Amino acid sequence: MMITPVHRFRDIERKPEYLQPEKCVPPPSRTSLGTMWFIRDGCGIACAVVTWMLVFYADFVVLLVMLVPSRDYVYSVINGTLFNTLAFLALASHFRAMLTDPGAVPKGNATKEFIESLQLKPGQVVYKCPKCCSIKPDRAHHCSVCKRCIRKMDHHCPWVNNCVGENNQKYFVLFTMYIALISLHALIMVGFHFLYCFEEDWTKCSSFSPPTTVILLILLCFEALLFLIFTSVMFGTQVHSICTDETGIERLKNQKPTWQKVSGWEGMKLAFGGAFSLSWFNPFSNLNCKSPAPSEVVAAAPASAIMTQEEIEQFLARDVSIQMLQE
């Protein structure tokens, strides 16, 4: 719904706290804080720790219960190397997805100087988030956990303690893919190990007692099956979102696209940072995304530059729409 400048100004008058500089103070520049991104959310941190512990448990059972006691040295070496390589890539992808800025819009950039720098045409609309005092680029959404607006936000995932957005979707996709692969690999090895133990003496197929071996294998089987289903579904939905150029939030809201959609393969190249290569599967490779258009660039501004009520009235007189969005 388009709000006229008069009505919009009255809305601002009813909520003057959004205009107070002390409530819209932008954070210090990232150069002074470093480049690490980390969300201090208790639930997310607990889920991330549990994720790592479950991977370590699976590695413990695979190595010490199934592979080390095996008489087939080649079988143990091949499967041990493959499983640990995939597990390492899964944890590395999780680490990158958790500590990469998903595309946060700087706080407090809803300033007079910044809005004027956008060179808006009369009647053009800019969106201001009242929760983080930011001018929101197209397709950005506010995350209540990260307390920031995130560009192309798909969802907030507690398992990686971060939002999945424009800058870290590749790492999240790799994380779900590698977890699904090690889960499938573990299930196959558990099946072969059960067959081996049924044919041989249970006391010889493991260095643990038979009851302990059975319990450890059943727990691993349950864990692997659960995570295989969950991560496979997540991997499929993420690839579908990339190929259709539609985030999970946009799909849930049934938003009509106001942006120019890209084809499936072009979307994959944008998400993974270039043409198809082995770097697509490498969680250590940095993304090489295209730079946003000047009108989409959002930079933090000093607190003293926050617009006063009088300046906003003058600015609205120029027939530029500023909408306050609640999410």
Side-chain angles (χ1 to χ4, degrees):
M1 177 180 179
M2 180 65 69
I3 307 175
T4 63
V6 175
H7 290 166
R8 196 175 307 111
F9 181 64
R10 289 174 180 172
D11 286 343
I12 293 175
E13 282 186 321
R14 285 198 295 267
K15 299 179 180 179
E17 66 272 13
Y18 294 145
L19 303 179
Q20 296 176 4
E22 63 273 12
K23 293 184 179 293
C24 292
V25 175
S29 63
R30 297 196 62 173
T31 55
S32 62
L33 295 178
T35 58
M36 177 173 287
W37 169 275
F38 183 73
I39 301 301
R40 295 174 177 83
D41 175 59
C43 177
I45 294 173
C47 288
V49 171
V50 168
T51 300
W52 281 62
M53 291 178 63
L54 290 173
V55 174
F56 287 140
Y57 170 78
D59 194 48
F60 165 77
V61 176
V62 167
L63 290 180
L64 299 184
V65 177
M66 293 189 287
L67 296 183
V68 171
S70 176
R71 299 176 182 176
D72 191 338
Y73 178 76
V74 176
Y75 171 85
S76 297
V77 170
I78 293 177
N79 283 280
T81 302
L82 178 60
F83 185 87
N84 280 276
T85 300
L86 293 175
F88 173 75
L89 291 172
L91 293 180
S93 301
H94 182 274
F95 190 78
R96 292 299 302 273
M98 180 171 59
L99 299 182
T100 299
D101 182 346
V105 179
K107 288 183 177 180
N109 68 346
T111 66
K112 172 185 175 183
E113 286 77 7
F114 177 73
I115 295 176
E116 288 181 345
S117 70
L118 298 179
Q119 298 180 349
L120 300 173
K121 299 177 181 179
Q124 190 172 351
V125 175
V126 292
Y127 297 96
K128 176 183 177 181
C129 176
K131 297 179 181 179
C132 58
C133 298
S134 300
I135 296 297
K136 297 175 63 173
D138 192 23
R139 306 183 70 182
H141 297 276
H142 186 86
C143 174
S144 59
V145 179
C146 297
K147 295 179 174 59
R148 300 288 288 276
C149 287
I150 308 296
R151 293 192 300 271
K152 291 185 68 176
M153 175 182 170
D154 187 87
H155 68 288
H156 183 92
C157 178
W159 294 104
V160 298
N161 189 34
N162 202 359
C163 278
V164 177
E166 183 178 68
N167 294 342
N168 68 341
Q169 190 171 30
K170 167 190 173 178
Y171 306 124
F172 183 76
V173 171
L174 291 181
F175 167 66
T176 58
M177 182 185 73
Y178 287 127
I179 289 293
L181 289 177
I182 65 174
S183 299
L184 178 61
H185 190 198
L187 282 173
I188 294 174
M189 285 191 290
V190 167
F192 278 114
H193 197 72
F194 267 121
L195 292 176
Y196 172 72
C197 291
F198 283 136
E199 294 176 356
E200 299 288 336
D201 188 354
W202 275 87
T203 58
K204 297 180 181 179
C205 70
S206 175
S207 55
F208 296 89
S209 64
T212 303
T213 300
V214 172
I215 292 174
L216 290 174
L217 291 177
I218 290 177
L219 289 176
L220 176 61
C221 187
F222 177 76
E223 174 194 341
L225 182 62
L226 181 65
F227 275 89
L228 174 62
I229 296 173
F230 176 72
T231 54
S232 296
V233 171
M234 289 303 301
F235 175 79
T237 56
Q238 288 299 301
V239 172
H240 179 266
S241 294
I242 294 173
C243 292
T244 58
D245 194 16
E246 184 179 42
T247 66
I249 291 180
E250 291 164 351
R251 187 165 55 252
L252 287 174
K253 289 185 175 181
N254 197 24
Q255 284 186 249
K256 294 182 179 180
T258 57
W259 60 93
Q260 184 177 359
K261 285 196 171 186
V262 297
S263 63
W265 188 246
E266 288 298 320
M268 292 293 291
K269 289 195 291 185
L270 285 174
F272 283 82
F276 179 77
S277 66
L278 290 178
S279 65
W280 278 26
F281 307 97
N282 180 12
F284 299 101
S285 64
N286 293 321
L287 295 176
N288 186 25
C289 300
K290 293 182 179 179
S291 300
S295 61
E296 297 175 350
V297 175
V298 284
S304 60
I306 300 294
M307 284 187 294
T308 65
Q309 186 171 339
E310 181 181 357
E311 289 172 332
I312 286 186
E313 183 178 11
Q314 295 173 356
F315 189 79
L316 291 177
R318 295 169 51 188
D319 194 27
V320 174
S321 300
I322 300 179
Q323 294 186 353
M324 309 291 288
L325 294 186
Q326 294 279 3
E327 287 190 328

